[in-house]
Amino acid sequence: MRSQTELTDAFRDAGLKITPQRLLMFRLLEGNASHPTAEALYEVARREMPSISLRTVYQTLNDLASMGELLQIDLGSGPGRFDPNTEDHHHFICDDCGSIHDVQVDTEATLQADGLKVRSVEVVFRGSCATCVASK
Amino acid sequence: MRSQTELTDAFRDAGLKITPQRLLMFRLLEGNASHPTAEALYEVARREMPSISLRTVYQTLNDLASMGELLQIDLGSGPGRFDPNTEDHHHFICDDCGSIHDVQVDTEATLQADGLKVRSVEVVFRGSCATCVASK
DNA sequence: AGTTTTTCTGCAAAGGTTGTTATTTAGCAA
DNA sequence: TTGCTAAATAACAACCTTTGCAGAAAAACT
Ligand SMILES: [Mn+2]
Ligand SMILES: [Mn+2]
Ligand SMILES: [Zn+2]
Ligand SMILES: [Zn+2]
């Protein structure tokens, strides 16, 4: 995800207006490495702007995602997670605490695809994170 | 997934009864490489047993999954898919037609996990399947 | 400032799955 | 075989997450 000022320009270029709600979302997401849910962002946003609606949070997240500023991660169950880190990376999901960690994988996908045209590769590791391994 | 007779034993061992509904599910899943949804299985099942309920289909799928006889695959959106192929394999999802294909990947996951204890690796390829590439 | 256009909120509804419960059934013992 | 009992089924309600919709409100453009 780009900086607030760049996002402001990008939104205006896309014919979208800059509102306090959107600016707040930009701020909450910038550098956010927690892979939050919409609901989690909503709760934090409400502390600063009690009138904001969950609908608006989803709206802004969807706008950002469709502009390629955010990635959406779908774990098998539960709500989707949003990721402002759009660099090429993969995820490690802790089965114990649910935390999501960024991981780099040299994804040289040695797939002898029989006619399959690969457009993207997504790798999901599951297990226990360092914290949870320690507390066992 | 094991054969009907083996599943019958396994269910009985687990204190579960063998019912016509369950036998039908066993039969519909055996060797099924289409990665069907619960709903899809329900529709086929209804043709043979019109009184079967979607709830029972889900129940049996969940039972099989928790016994390790079935895998559940979650695409980003839409209903979950079930896979009686419990061998170590990964998936290729066609973005065009939604079909799911089994693929083998030498998953030597060169992850320099900082304290992360990996329990499973899931790789999802997306793109266009051979059929869809041809019809373009 | 007034007008237009977009966005916001609040709420209803959707899709997919699971919870609940009365009724039926499988498995077993008499 | 028959009856007993625990378990499974069907039907339906409720759930969770996300999206659709209808004014009310706010932003951008004269
Ligand atoms: Mn990430
Ligand atoms: Mn498969
Ligand atoms: Zn953890
Ligand atoms: Zn295809």
Side-chain angles (χ1 to χ4, degrees):
Chain A
M1 208 181 83
R2 288 179 285 169
S3 73
Q4 265 181 75
T5 39
E6 284 173 303
L7 289 177
T8 295
D9 289 348
F11 266 59
R12 290 226 165 94
D13 288 352
L16 300 176
K17 295 177 176 175
I18 297 304
T19 65
Q21 289 86 348
R22 284 175 174 172
L23 284 171
L24 174 54
M25 293 299 293
F26 294 172
R27 193 148 47 74
L28 295 183
L29 285 165
E30 190 162 33
N32 188 326
S34 70
H35 303 88
T37 62
E39 186 74 36
L41 289 163
Y42 173 56
E43 288 309 324
V44 179
R46 282 224 287 192
R47 294 209 274 272
E48 289 196 37
M49 188 185 285
S51 71
I52 198 173
S53 72
L54 179 59
R55 190 69 184 83
T56 297
V57 171
Y58 271 107
Q59 195 90 260
T60 306
L61 291 172
N62 287 343
D63 289 341
L64 285 166
S66 70
M67 291 169 77
E69 300 287 345
L70 270 189
L71 296 179
Q72 201 166 342
I73 303 167
D74 190 85
L75 317 184
S77 63
R81 318 287 295 240
F82 293 87
D83 192 349
N85 178 2
T86 54
E87 299 297 307
D88 187 14
H89 72 288
H90 301 292
H91 294 103
F92 177 91
I93 299 158
C94 179
D95 288 335
D96 301 323
C97 67
S99 63
I100 304 182
H101 306 253
D102 289 340
V103 291
Q104 291 305 322
V105 186
D106 44 358
T107 174
E108 43 206 333
T110 325
L111 173 63
Q112 83 294 16
D114 336 69
L116 304 178
K117 186 175 164 190
V118 178
R119 206 166 292 132
S120 77
V121 184
E122 183 193 344
V123 182
V124 181
F125 299 93
R126 289 170 187 271
S128 301
C129 73
T131 312
C132 288
V133 166
S135 69
K136 273 205 293 199
Chain B
M1 209 180 83
R2 288 179 285 170
S3 73
Q4 266 182 75
T5 40
E6 285 174 301
L7 289 176
T8 296
D9 290 348
F11 266 59
R12 291 225 166 96
D13 288 352
L16 301 176
K17 296 177 176 175
I18 298 304
T19 65
Q21 289 87 345
R22 285 176 172 170
L23 284 172
L24 174 54
M25 293 299 293
F26 294 172
R27 194 148 46 75
L28 295 183
L29 286 165
E30 191 161 32
N32 188 327
S34 71
H35 303 88
T37 62
E39 185 75 35
L41 289 163
Y42 174 54
E43 290 308 325
V44 178
R46 282 222 289 191
R47 295 209 273 273
E48 288 197 36
M49 188 185 287
S51 71
I52 197 172
S53 72
L54 178 58
R55 190 66 183 83
T56 295
V57 171
Y58 271 107
Q59 195 87 259
T60 305
L61 291 172
N62 288 343
D63 289 342
L64 285 166
S66 69
M67 293 170 75
E69 300 287 346
L70 268 190
L71 296 178
Q72 202 168 165
I73 303 167
D74 191 84
L75 317 184
S77 63
R81 317 288 293 241
F82 294 87
D83 192 349
N85 178 3
T86 55
E87 300 298 307
D88 188 15
H89 72 288
H90 302 292
H91 294 102
F92 177 90
I93 300 159
C94 180
D95 289 334
D96 301 322
C97 66
S99 63
I100 304 182
H101 306 253
D102 290 340
V103 291
Q104 292 306 322
V105 186
D106 41 1
T107 174
E108 42 206 332
T110 325
L111 173 63
Q112 82 294 20
D114 336 69
L116 305 178
K117 186 175 163 191
V118 178
R119 207 165 291 131
S120 77
V121 184
E122 184 193 343
V123 182
V124 181
F125 299 92
R126 289 170 186 271
S128 300
C129 74
T131 313
C132 288
V133 167
S135 68
K136 274 204 293 200

